[in-house]
Amino acid sequence: LWKVIEELPEIIKYKTVFDGRCNAYAATELNFNQNQGITRQVILPDPSGAPPNPSSSSSTRHRNAFTVKIAQVAVIDLKELHKFLRREGPLTSSCMTAIQALNVVMTHKLFSQQVSVGRSAYTPRNAQDLGGGVEKWDGIFQSIRPGQRQLFANIDIASTAFIKGGNAAGLMAEIKKVRNVDDLRRSAISSRDFQLFHKHFKTCSFTVTHRGGNFKKSYKVAEVSMMSADRITFQQTLADGSSVQMSIPQYYEKAYGLRLHYPFLPCLGVKGRESTLYFPAEVCVIQPGKRFTKRLNEEQTSAMIRSTCTKPHERANKILQNIRELDFDRNEYMREFGLRLDKELAVVPARILPPPRIEYASRRMVDPQAGGWRLDPSHKMYIGQKLESWGILVYEDEMRFARHLVHNFIRELTSTMAENGMNIVMREPPIMYAQGNRVEQNVDTMWSTIERTCKAPPQLILVILPSVCQTYSSIKTYCEISTTNGKMTQCVLSEKVRKVKKQYCGMLGLKINTKLGGINSTLLRNSIPFVTDAPTMVIGADVTHPSAGEARPSVVAVVGSMDEHAYRYAGRLQIQDSRCEVIERLKFLVYELIAAFVMRNRARPQRILFYRDGVSDGQFAQIIKDEVQAIKEACQHMDPEYKPPITFCVVKKRHHARLFPIHQQDGDRSGNCHAGTVVDSVITHPTEFDFYLQSHGGLQGTSRPTLYHVLLDENRFSSDALQALTFRLCHVYSRCPKSVSIVPPVYYAHLLAYRARHYQSHEFSDANSNSGDGSGADVSFQTSDKLKNFMYFV
């Protein structure tokens, strides 16, 4: 496109911006026949450095010759956008198109100079090594969003992982976590390593070094060979017409006089016309700038978190510094379109909601401070459960992990749980060391041992694991998916058992009490009248998608509150087409949750509050059309006359809006805004019901407020009422004595969807399909009947 623009100065006289796909925008109409457009041929230079030959009919011309057509498709009138911002008109498709065009204008210059990913542009300057052939690049996020009566530029710092550039052989050593390539010679490269190299380098671009410095052609990796270079052979035709079998090292020595130093490494494969072309790793130089889309391992994740953890005032200063460096006043594209930006952060009015009082047993009250409160033995659990039949299954070698370590841990755990209000009948549960890796046999033996020793139906197996490994997945799958073998489990890491701490035991006790059906703490009834004054169900829903490149279904998780405290939840899982965001069979999931509510409370929910996570602005219309209708159909499936009012609220955490106190002394100890900070004007939607809520206390880094956007409100909430209810619900989270950053039903839906990742062996089998309507049409994870209405996923 830029080649055409360069060659047509008489037609395209003004600065034109391009979205990188198919749309270009100009500030004025172009000087050509609007009906016919322009068509031009462009010949790009050959990467090898050879000059273009327009008269040649060779494959070079075929590869580098393109036909470009430019035609006018629309004229964007900003009047509708101005009306929308002034609340004089609706949000139309023309408004959305205008905002998209202005986004392209603002980001065009930076995106032309740096590597763009979504709405962020990244630079390798100050790249930080994350290990394993991956590095972190810093970047700038830019987006234009509508606010109250005006548009706002949302600018933020960003970071993401990129594949490191450099010699492919050296990068393979980094991926294998050895000091250098020679160490790879000494440590055998397994088939799993070959697969790891393939996943890492696939689709990367690279150049080669064996053809001289003037050869600059770039290739794209189609595969990494599953064999080393010295084991790959092919037929080479000689000058006399005969052919000979030749290995890749032999060929490079004969053709280029190059003796390979690392023939034991795999090759990078490129798709040729007839077959795959292989290049030895040591002659390949990976080009930087390819985003790493796989999941980071634990070490890489820790390094990423450490490097991106920025205090609020530091982040604000970095944003202001980026704005100065972007120098929007001298941006010729923005000048051409008459677009101007303020250089200061927007000042918005906010208020801090008061925290609710937390109620424990015997009406003991606690007032949260800075978004949290302490576990105190004087405050007993609101409903502490009895633990009388349980056992310990240890997946460690008894010689390295002595039994007395387990005894010490259990002694501290049981005394802490008893102090906090649970009735611990069995203080010395049976301990069994796992035999081999047969999960089913170990779990069943442990279950029988508990029943025999405690003389009561088993309640729980506490499993001690060396790490969150495959064994964890197998245990959760076997114990929770089978309809006949539903077994409640609680896993702990052996390092926590070795270094037993009372605080950890207290947190673990919260999870165990919740799993057994207890209530750790709750709110005063008058704190959440919407929930307590009439039977009410609070629902959370989330859809999680597979990682990039994985051909696996998406997972739907929906949870619904089962009591008047909005504390106990039941969850349902389902799989659906990969990357489909709209929940396809929500009707049956909601129907099951309402049926469970009725079974427990002998009454139907008289109103429903639905929190939906993970929906982008562009999907709102489809969500209202499909999911809201599905909830209504679920109610009518129970009874045609059953029509409870529904409030449907989208919960958005993946955004770049940040709230900073104007003065550092106005923040909490971490420098963030105080828990309960609400912003519902200036930067919120011009016409719709939304608000930012920072409901948690800051710990480290800059806290991210959650954006709540109401798509339907049949319960007729006022802004104050829904904000207060949402903030107070954030204090009813079972796993910790803190107010959390997103409303708990959405948090639980996250946990349930994450649990589904571990359901591997049964994940997509027909044997585990569950039909909500009896037709066998929907496929879901069928959780054990014994567990499905308990919070086994916390």
Side-chain angles (χ1 to χ4, degrees):
L1 178 67
W2 301 124
K3 190 83 171 168
V4 171
I5 288 175
E6 286 172 11
E7 294 174 357
L8 297 173
E10 73 284 359
I11 296 176
I12 306 176
K13 298 179 181 179
Y14 306 98
K15 292 293 182 183
T16 306
V17 297
F18 180 46
D19 68 0
R21 294 182 292 274
C22 62
N23 291 318
Y25 302 93
T28 58
E29 289 194 9
L30 304 185
N31 184 26
F32 62 83
N33 187 313
Q34 306 298 342
N35 295 324
Q36 296 179 356
I38 328 170
T39 301
R40 286 289 187 277
Q41 269 217 332
V42 181
I43 300 175
L44 299 182
D46 191 278
S48 64
N53 183 2
S55 61
S56 170
S57 60
S58 68
S59 61
T60 302
R61 178 173 180 259
H62 176 74
R63 285 198 305 269
N64 298 322
F66 297 88
T67 301
V68 179
K69 182 175 182 179
I70 302 177
Q72 180 174 299
V73 293
V75 175
I76 299 174
D77 189 348
L78 296 181
K79 288 179 183 176
E80 286 189 31
L81 178 59
H82 286 299
K83 285 184 177 179
F84 164 64
L85 293 173
R86 294 195 300 264
R87 299 186 180 183
E88 296 171 359
L91 178 62
T92 63
S93 59
S94 296
C95 296
M96 299 297 289
T97 304
I99 293 172
Q100 174 61 29
L102 294 173
N103 264 308
V104 175
V105 173
M106 183 178 72
T107 59
H108 173 85
K109 185 175 183 179
L110 186 64
F111 281 16
S112 301
Q113 298 168 345
Q114 298 184 4
V115 178
S116 62
V117 178
R119 295 190 184 276
S120 300
Y122 295 91
T123 172
R125 186 179 62 189
N126 301 323
Q128 180 176 336
D129 190 1
L130 299 178
V134 179
E135 60 188 6
K136 184 208 78 171
W137 287 18
D138 292 326
I140 302 172
F141 172 88
Q142 297 179 93
S143 176
I144 288 178
R145 294 187 60 84
Q148 306 283 316
R149 306 189 69 82
Q150 59 186 316
L151 294 174
F152 285 90
N154 185 191
I155 297 176
D156 192 16
I157 60 175
S159 299
T160 195
F162 282 83
I163 292 175
K164 281 181 71 174
N167 183 268
L171 293 173
M172 287 178 181
E174 288 191 34
I175 294 168
K176 271 281 286 178
K177 299 181 181 178
V178 295
R179 290 176 302 172
N180 52 48
V181 185
D182 284 321
D183 283 354
L184 286 174
R185 191 194 311 272
R186 290 184 282 274
S187 63
I189 301 176
S190 65
S191 59
R192 188 168 173 234
D193 294 329
F194 283 107
Q195 292 171 355
L196 194 62
F197 295 150
H198 172 77
K199 289 180 180 178
H200 186 91
F201 291 113
K202 189 177 180 183
T203 73
C204 285
S205 297
F206 69 95
T207 56
V208 292
T209 59
H210 65 286
R211 299 187 68 176
N214 293 327
F215 188 85
K216 296 186 173 22
K217 184 172 182 178
S218 178
Y219 301 92
K220 183 169 282 189
V221 180
E223 65 173 84
V224 174
S225 65
M226 292 295 110
M227 294 189 293
S228 58
D230 54 10
R231 293 179 59 196
I232 299 175
T233 59
F234 60 96
Q235 289 292 123
Q236 174 70 11
T237 304
L238 302 179
D240 59 4
S242 61
S243 63
V244 62
Q245 192 81 0
M246 189 175 287
S247 69
I248 286 182
Q250 291 170 339
Y251 171 76
Y252 271 76
E253 189 163 9
K254 183 175 180 60
Y256 302 104
L258 176 65
R259 183 166 186 161
L260 297 183
H261 293 95
Y262 311 117
F264 54 87
L265 291 179
C267 296
L268 304 189
V270 175
K271 279 187 179 178
R273 290 186 180 179
E274 298 177 357
S275 60
T276 302
L277 306 176
Y278 288 108
F279 296 89
E282 63 189 84
V283 305
C284 300
V285 178
I286 301 296
Q287 295 179 333
K290 172 73 175 175
R291 188 186 177 202
F292 184 75
T293 57
K294 315 294 186 302
R295 195 181 304 279
L296 296 175
N297 62 34
E298 288 185 20
E299 293 175 7
Q300 292 167 338
T301 301
S302 297
M304 175 70 87
I305 291 172
R306 283 196 303 272
S307 66
T308 56
C309 185
T310 310
K311 292 181 179 179
H313 69 278
E314 293 174 357
R315 191 183 192 100
N317 289 336
K318 283 186 177 181
I319 292 171
L320 290 169
Q321 181 183 342
N322 283 337
I323 293 173
R324 288 191 291 270
E325 290 179 0
L326 288 169
D327 197 5
F328 289 114
D329 289 344
R330 297 189 185 182
N331 185 318
E332 59 272 28
Y333 297 97
M334 292 179 62
R335 240 191 349 253
E336 187 77 45
F337 284 81
L339 194 62
R340 295 186 303 276
L341 244 66
D342 287 341
K343 298 185 182 66
E344 300 299 325
L345 302 184
V347 177
V348 299
R351 56 203 175 89
I352 301 174
L353 302 178
R357 303 200 79 190
I358 309 301
E359 183 177 359
Y360 281 88
S362 304
R363 297 193 60 79
R364 296 296 297 270
M365 302 297 171
V366 177
D367 294 310
Q369 301 292 327
W373 60 98
R374 293 184 61 184
L375 286 178
D376 190 328
S378 65
H379 301 123
K380 306 298 183 185
M381 293 171 175
Y382 188 80
I383 298 178
Q385 291 295 95
K386 179 190 291 187
L387 184 57
E388 59 181 338
S389 183
W390 63 307
I392 318 300
L393 179 59
V394 186
Y395 273 88
E396 285 274 16
D397 185 273
E398 192 169 356
M399 297 295 291
R400 294 196 307 267
F401 196 80
R403 195 171 287 258
H404 72 86
L405 293 172
V406 182
H407 282 296
N408 290 342
F409 178 76
I410 297 304
R411 191 179 306 115
E412 184 63 54
L413 176 64
T414 53
S415 73
T416 302
M417 290 193 296
E419 287 174 6
N420 290 337
M422 290 184 68
N423 180 9
I424 310 300
V425 177
M426 174 54 74
R427 296 289 183 115
E428 296 181 358
I431 299 170
M432 186 185 105
Y433 282 80
Q435 302 299 313
N437 293 321
R438 296 189 60 185
V439 166
E440 296 89 343
Q441 182 177 335
N442 284 319
V443 169
D444 288 346
T445 303
M446 183 77 255
W447 201 253
S448 301
T449 302
I450 294 170
E451 194 164 24
R452 187 173 59 252
T453 305
C454 302
K455 296 179 173 53
Q459 296 171 277
L460 177 79
I461 300 177
L462 186 74
V463 185
I464 299 175
L465 295 170
S467 64
V468 181
C469 53
Q470 180 62 40
T471 306
Y472 177 89
S473 299
S474 301
I475 287 171
K476 293 299 183 182
T477 301
Y478 178 66
C479 292
E480 295 169 0
I481 288 294
S482 170
T483 55
T484 57
N485 293 319
K487 299 174 174 66
M488 191 71 78
T489 56
Q490 175 61 58
C491 295
V492 296
L493 295 176
S494 55
E495 64 183 62
K496 299 292 185 182
V497 176
R498 283 183 190 276
K499 302 174 182 178
V500 56
K501 293 182 179 178
K502 193 172 191 66
Q503 184 182 13
Y504 176 78
C505 290
M507 296 296 182
L508 190 63
L510 297 180
K511 296 175 69 174
I512 290 174
N513 189 53
T514 301
K515 288 183 175 184
L516 297 180
I519 296 179
N520 298 329
S521 61
T522 187
L523 306 178
L524 290 174
R525 289 187 66 87
N526 60 6
S527 296
I528 46 175
F530 178 81
V531 176
T532 55
D533 286 356
T536 301
M537 178 178 277
V538 185
I539 299 178
D542 183 31
V543 180
T544 59
H545 304 293
S547 301
E550 287 186 353
R552 304 176 68 184
S554 294
V555 177
V556 175
V558 183
V559 302
S561 63
M562 294 286 125
D563 64 357
E564 70 277 13
H565 304 285
Y567 184 93
R568 298 185 179 105
Y569 284 80
R572 297 293 184 269
L573 283 167
Q574 173 184 287
I575 59 172
Q576 62 184 31
D577 292 343
S578 185
R579 312 209 173 276
C580 175
E581 184 57 53
V582 176
I583 301 176
E584 293 175 338
R585 305 191 64 78
L586 181 61
K587 168 185 173 181
F588 304 109
L589 299 177
V590 173
Y591 174 82
E592 281 195 24
L593 291 173
I594 293 175
F597 185 97
V598 171
M599 186 181 301
R600 185 183 189 110
N601 299 284
R602 309 294 182 196
R604 296 173 185 159
Q606 291 183 18
R607 44 203 181 194
I608 293 175
L609 174 55
F610 196 104
Y611 289 101
R612 172 70 159 89
D613 186 46
V615 179
S616 63
D617 293 3
Q619 295 169 317
F620 283 178
Q622 189 177 5
I623 291 294
I624 294 173
K625 175 177 174 287
D626 294 343
E627 294 191 7
V628 171
Q629 183 61 30
I631 299 168
K632 293 182 176 181
E633 288 177 2
C635 297
Q636 291 165 10
H637 188 68
M638 182 160 283
D639 183 343
E641 301 301 317
Y642 177 46
K643 298 177 182 179
I646 299 165
T647 296
F648 193 103
C649 183
V650 170
V651 182
K652 301 186 72 174
K653 197 72 169 139
R654 294 183 180 179
H655 59 78
H656 281 267
R658 298 292 184 274
L659 306 177
F660 305 104
I662 293 179
H663 305 292
Q664 275 188 254
Q665 60 268 29
D666 294 333
D668 62 14
R669 285 176 298 180
S670 67
N672 285 286
C673 294
H674 289 280
T677 299
V678 169
V679 172
D680 59 4
S681 62
V682 182
I683 58 172
T684 51
H685 197 279
T687 59
E688 296 182 11
F689 183 179
D690 67 342
F691 58 91
Y692 290 95
L693 171 62
Q694 194 157 302
S695 54
H696 62 300
L699 293 176
Q700 58 180 359
T702 306
S703 299
R704 190 197 321 243
T706 300
L707 175 59
Y708 295 89
H709 195 130
V710 180
L711 300 187
L712 175 73
D713 185 24
E714 296 177 345
N715 287 294
R716 299 183 180 180
F717 277 103
S718 66
S719 293
D720 290 349
L722 185 58
Q723 291 163 11
L725 173 61
T726 301
F727 178 52
R728 290 167 184 173
L729 286 175
C730 289
H731 291 76
V732 193
Y733 183 60
S734 66
R735 288 163 44 119
C736 62
K738 292 180 181 295
S739 173
V740 287
S741 61
I742 53 176
V743 71
V746 170
Y747 220 133
Y748 293 140
H750 282 323
L751 294 175
L752 186 56
Y754 183 77
R755 176 62 55 82
R757 295 180 189 173
H758 296 286
Y759 297 155
Q760 296 173 349
S761 57
H762 299 262
E763 198 167 21
F764 315 126
S765 66
D766 293 337
N768 288 283
S769 65
N770 179 32
S771 308
D773 60 350
S775 66
D778 74 316
V779 180
S780 13
F781 299 107
Q782 186 171 335
T783 307
S784 164
D785 291 338
K786 295 180 181 178
L787 301 181
K788 66 181 183 181
N789 292 328
F790 285 86
M791 297 176 69
Y792 63 93
F793 45 83
V794 297

